[in-house]
Amino acid sequence: MAYIRKTIDTWQLLIDYGYGYDIELTEYSKKEAMQQLKCYRKNIKYPVKIVKKRIKKEV
């Protein structure tokens, strides 16, 4: 019997507008998250970062 994962890896893009980091968007692949990060860093002046999160799958 093969192992079935109970979680999904996601990457959250966080932006600090001056009062703490807020989740701006969530991507399901690291490549897409990195593309969004580059775009946000190019176009806004606020600190931006990516954080990897695991969410439970719906059964």
Side-chain angles (χ1 to χ4, degrees):
M1 184 172 169
Y3 176 75
I4 299 173
R5 286 189 62 180
K6 297 174 182 77
T7 60
I8 300 171
D9 293 336
T10 61
W11 286 264
Q12 295 178 343
L13 185 83
L14 305 174
I15 300 177
D16 184 4
Y17 290 110
Y19 53 89
Y21 282 97
D22 285 331
I23 299 170
E24 185 72 19
L25 60 91
T26 301
E27 295 288 348
Y28 291 98
S29 75
K30 187 174 181 180
K31 182 178 179 182
E32 292 175 6
M34 293 303 288
Q35 289 174 346
Q36 290 293 333
L37 178 67
K38 285 181 185 178
C39 181
Y40 273 83
R41 282 187 174 161
K42 180 179 174 184
N43 293 313
I44 66 171
K45 61 181 178 179
Y46 300 108
V48 182
K49 67 180 180 180
I50 289 181
V51 177
K52 181 179 178 181
K53 295 287 183 177
R54 290 190 173 153
I55 56 174
K56 288 187 176 185
K57 284 186 179 179
E58 298 290 327
V59 178

